[in-house]
Amino acid sequence: MNHFINLKDISSKTLRRIVTDAKKRKNKRRKFSTLELDKDKPLKGKLLIQMFEKASLRTRLSFYLAIKQLGGGTITLRTNELHLGKGGESLADTAKILSTYGDGFMLRTDSDKKIEEFSKYLTIPVINGLSPSSHPTQVLSDIFTVEEIKKKPISRLNICWIGDSNNVLNSLIAASIKFSFRLNIGCPKNYEPKKFVLDWAKKNKGKINIYNDAKKAVKNADIIFSDKVISLNDKVNKNKKIKDFKNFQINSKLMKFAKKNVTFLHCLPRGTEVSSKVFLGKNSEVWLQALNRVHVQKSILLYCFGKLR
């Protein structure tokens, strides 16, 4: 049994094994229909319990399809229908019940502490489907997508992030250490990654550069990543934040400073941080990026269930 909570806590070798397994499984499914099972059905009879405290489209659908294609099943619980540490039932007791009924637990949460608590009390694997500090399933899938598009290891590419410093960027920074790639971050001065994130990267010999000028950040980039500048639960002055990021919109003009065959990726949903021309243009691979969540999630599940070969 293995938890999948933060890329920082998983070895480079294991993360590479997950990506390699996902490549093999995707290749085998080229002619399969959506709900057709993988021939080996490695998770036959297994139940994944999913719980969402935050809105979800791609994570919800991709995990549903991932466990189904592996031969297992899933059930989604609504947080307002559970006690979750309220109403007289402790979180430890909830974890005991989840462990009794299910084989794995995927949580998308607004609390890092909650996912840590669950990992202490669950006797089944817990997967972080998104938390305030990280989004590991998204970023590992993004590594897979980058290597599929560019047909070379990500360590040989120039990776750029333009946008806010959030949970996705935190996981991308962790991935830059684990997969040994250079990462340029472009964001306004007051929106740089938190000190403890950068300290960890520095301690682990990360190749990270931060620019308060978007043009400098994207110079010679093979890949440009972004995410929504105003997230769903952002408790900030939204008008001010949009104004602060005015010079960081990814548009045709900015793309010219990157390599000619640069690829644009975005974990969705999108906002004003990218122009429609770029988002829907020939350099964008956002739809492939979204689809690949299914393939990588399958290999993450196999890792968690101790079935990764």
Side-chain angles (χ1 to χ4, degrees):
M1 180 193 93
N2 300 296
H3 296 315
F4 193 89
I5 297 172
N6 197 310
L7 296 182
K8 291 196 297 185
D9 304 323
I10 303 169
S11 73
S12 300
K13 188 178 178 182
T14 297
L15 292 172
R16 176 52 71 188
R17 278 176 61 219
I18 293 171
V19 170
T20 301
D21 182 76
K23 286 177 185 174
K24 289 176 187 170
R25 288 196 169 268
K26 182 172 182 178
N27 286 334
K28 286 178 183 175
R29 283 199 66 89
R30 296 288 176 188
K31 295 177 183 176
F32 280 36
S33 55
T34 305
L35 286 178
E36 197 171 343
L37 305 185
D38 286 8
K39 285 181 180 175
D40 55 346
K41 300 175 200 163
L43 297 187
K44 186 179 179 182
K46 299 290 186 185
L47 175 66
L48 176 70
I49 299 171
Q50 297 192 82
M51 191 166 75
F52 298 90
E53 291 184 317
K54 301 183 81 170
S56 174
L57 175 61
R58 284 149 295 276
T59 301
R60 185 190 304 259
L61 285 173
S62 56
F63 268 109
Y64 175 84
L65 289 176
I67 189 78
K68 286 273 189 182
Q69 290 177 7
L70 293 170
T74 182
I75 184 170
T76 297
L77 302 177
R78 297 182 183 181
T79 53
N80 62 351
E81 295 171 347
L82 302 179
H83 298 292
L84 281 182
K86 300 170 188 172
E89 182 168 279
S90 68
L91 199 134
D93 289 354
T94 301
K96 180 70 176 173
I97 295 297
L98 292 170
S99 301
T100 303
Y101 283 100
D103 300 290
F105 181 52
M106 198 287 296
L107 175 64
R108 189 178 182 97
T109 180
D110 54 12
S111 164
D112 287 303
K113 189 180 178 187
K114 200 172 286 178
I115 208 162
E116 284 169 25
E117 288 287 299
F118 268 121
S119 69
K120 279 186 211 167
Y121 298 118
L122 285 165
T123 55
I124 57 175
V126 59
I127 299 169
N128 179 0
L130 178 145
S131 70
S133 69
S134 70
H135 198 354
T137 62
Q138 173 70 55
V139 169
L140 192 61
S141 178
D142 290 344
I143 303 298
F144 175 93
T145 302
V146 166
E147 295 191 342
E148 181 181 48
I149 293 164
K150 297 299 186 183
K151 295 179 171 50
K152 61 176 72 172
I154 194 168
S155 58
R156 290 166 53 192
L157 299 168
N158 294 324
I159 309 300
C160 173
W161 170 276
I162 299 289
D164 199 10
S165 297
N166 59 11
N167 48 6
V168 181
L169 177 57
N170 288 346
S171 288
L172 191 63
I173 289 169
S176 77
I177 305 294
K178 299 294 179 176
F179 289 90
S180 192
F181 60 83
R182 187 174 300 281
L183 176 62
N184 282 359
I185 298 167
C187 61
K189 182 74 178 166
N190 296 329
Y191 296 90
E192 294 178 3
K194 289 188 168 62
K195 187 177 182 295
F196 75 90
V197 175
L198 294 175
D199 286 347
W200 178 86
K202 190 176 180 182
K203 185 182 171 185
N204 288 278
K205 300 181 172 62
K207 296 174 279 189
I208 294 165
N209 299 299
I210 298 174
Y211 299 94
N212 301 132
D213 182 331
K215 296 185 191 72
K216 288 179 181 175
V218 303
K219 191 178 179 186
N220 292 323
D222 293 291
I223 304 285
I224 297 175
F225 280 103
S226 192
D227 191 7
K228 204 170 183 183
V229 165
I230 305 292
S231 64
L232 197 62
N233 299 312
D234 233 346
K235 295 177 176 66
V236 296
N237 182 327
K238 292 177 183 176
N239 290 332
K240 182 183 184 301
K241 192 173 184 184
I242 289 169
K243 190 178 176 184
D244 290 344
F245 277 88
K246 187 181 67 173
N247 295 325
F248 289 83
Q249 190 196 46
I250 301 159
N251 50 35
S252 302
K253 193 176 175 183
L254 184 63
M255 292 284 277
K256 286 175 183 173
F257 289 88
K259 286 185 180 174
K260 194 173 182 180
N261 66 339
V262 65
T263 299
F264 173 74
L265 295 175
H266 193 298
C267 58
L268 302 171
R270 61 169 157 150
T272 57
E273 66 285 334
V274 57
S275 69
S276 287
K277 192 173 180 181
V278 168
F279 186 84
L280 301 171
K282 62 181 174 59
N283 294 83
S284 175
E285 290 284 3
V286 295
W287 310 122
L288 174 66
Q289 179 187 9
L291 172 66
N292 279 340
R293 295 288 302 280
V294 177
H295 303 293
V296 178
Q297 246 92 279
K298 286 165 74 172
S299 301
I300 289 170
L301 286 166
L302 291 173
Y303 162 71
C304 290
F305 283 98
K307 299 268 187 179
L308 189 67
R309 297 287 173 257

